[in-house]
Amino acid sequence: MVGVQALKVPSTGITDYGKVARKYAEIAAAHGAELKTGAGVMGFRNTANEIVIQTRAGDFSARYVVNCAGLYSDQIARLAGHDPEIMIVPFRGEYYDLIPERAGLVRNLIYPMPDPRFPFLGVHFTRRISGTIDAGPNAVLALRREGYRRTDFHLGEAITTLTYSGFLALARRQWRYGLSEYRRSLLKSAFVRSLQKLVPEVRSEDLVPGELACERRRLRRTAIW
């Protein structure tokens, strides 16, 4: 089975989010904001008039705190005394890159139609700012929250994920889908067949392993239950 029709979305685009984030920081600093990096949050202390954020770089006081802690935002919420009633379960995205000689096969972003029965979109093609073409991702469970490589592992985080009731419920419902993701992870031929549903001309020799996710994509496949 291969794709026979598609919807063209002219407004779809890509960007260099590193540059976007640096621009945000520039604008914020120009309006008087002070940016602190390397200030891991250790805890919170609430008083009648303010909130004190305790960090490795010292304490900071504020009237309001906006939690944008990404993969650890649920844990930060709990440190602040709030129960989000959910837990973040991390999934690692695995990619191939089209070799330059075959990059002409993909001139736009090519995505499959989402299937509402499943939690992931499926493999697709993305043209990057540099002109390179990503093929993927395959989504497999990461055994640590900042787990961008197959060998990344954190015992405590892995146990927390594997015993979380939300993850267990997902696994019971979608175990066949999960196994197919691992099959694509282990077998390049299975990965290629999935890509060929979108672009039949793609061949196995057209694909090389993508750059490390930790260098290019900060664990962009993250699911929350």
Side-chain angles (χ1 to χ4, degrees):
M1 180 184 296
V2 298
V4 294
Q5 290 183 325
L7 296 173
K8 185 176 182 180
V9 184
S11 60
T12 298
I14 55 176
T15 189
D16 182 333
Y17 194 75
K19 289 184 178 179
V20 172
R22 287 190 288 273
K23 189 62 179 180
Y24 280 149
E26 177 187 323
I27 293 171
H31 285 78
E34 183 179 0
L35 304 176
K36 292 284 187 179
T37 59
V41 176
M42 308 296 292
F44 294 84
R45 187 173 69 250
N46 297 325
T47 70
N49 300 316
E50 63 181 8
I51 304 169
V52 178
I53 307 101
Q54 300 165 316
T55 82
R56 294 189 179 93
D59 292 353
F60 301 93
S61 300
R63 290 182 61 190
Y64 302 101
V65 176
V66 179
N67 176 5
C68 299
L71 292 168
Y72 290 93
S73 56
D74 58 333
Q75 293 187 5
I76 295 298
R78 292 186 176 91
L79 279 178
H82 303 286
D83 184 1
E85 299 182 351
I86 59 172
M87 192 184 84
I88 292 177
V89 177
F91 283 80
R92 184 181 68 253
E94 297 179 338
Y95 293 78
Y96 283 93
D97 291 340
L98 274 180
I99 60 175
E101 296 82 1
R102 299 286 280 174
L105 289 174
V106 179
R107 297 187 296 274
N108 297 288
L109 311 183
I110 304 177
Y111 282 60
M113 288 292 291
D115 188 331
R117 296 175 300 167
F118 302 122
F120 302 113
L121 177 63
V123 297
H124 46 269
F125 292 91
T126 304
R127 177 176 285 275
R128 294 288 163 191
I129 291 292
S130 63
T132 59
I133 307 297
D134 285 346
N138 193 53
V140 295
L141 183 68
L143 295 179
R144 66 176 301 166
R145 294 204 182 198
E146 296 283 347
Y148 305 110
R149 296 168 297 188
R150 290 186 178 185
T151 56
D152 287 342
F153 177 78
H154 185 283
L155 180 60
E157 292 182 353
I159 291 174
T160 299
T161 291
L162 295 173
T163 58
Y164 173 48
S165 60
F167 171 73
L168 294 174
L170 173 74
R172 283 193 297 270
R173 291 196 307 269
Q174 306 292 357
W175 64 271
R176 290 184 179 86
Y177 190 95
L179 287 179
S180 69
E181 293 289 317
Y182 275 100
R183 186 168 183 270
R184 279 202 298 257
S185 176
L186 298 173
L187 297 175
K188 184 179 181 181
S189 58
F191 203 110
V192 172
R193 283 195 295 272
S194 295
L195 293 172
Q196 287 172 336
K197 293 179 181 179
L198 300 176
V199 181
E201 295 83 2
V202 169
R203 303 168 305 195
S204 180
E205 55 268 31
D206 298 334
L207 301 167
V208 294
E211 297 180 29
L212 286 178
C214 58
E215 295 176 349
R216 296 182 58 192
R217 315 168 186 90
R218 302 297 295 175
L219 198 63
R220 50 201 297 236
R221 288 294 171 228
T222 301
I224 301 176
W225 290 284

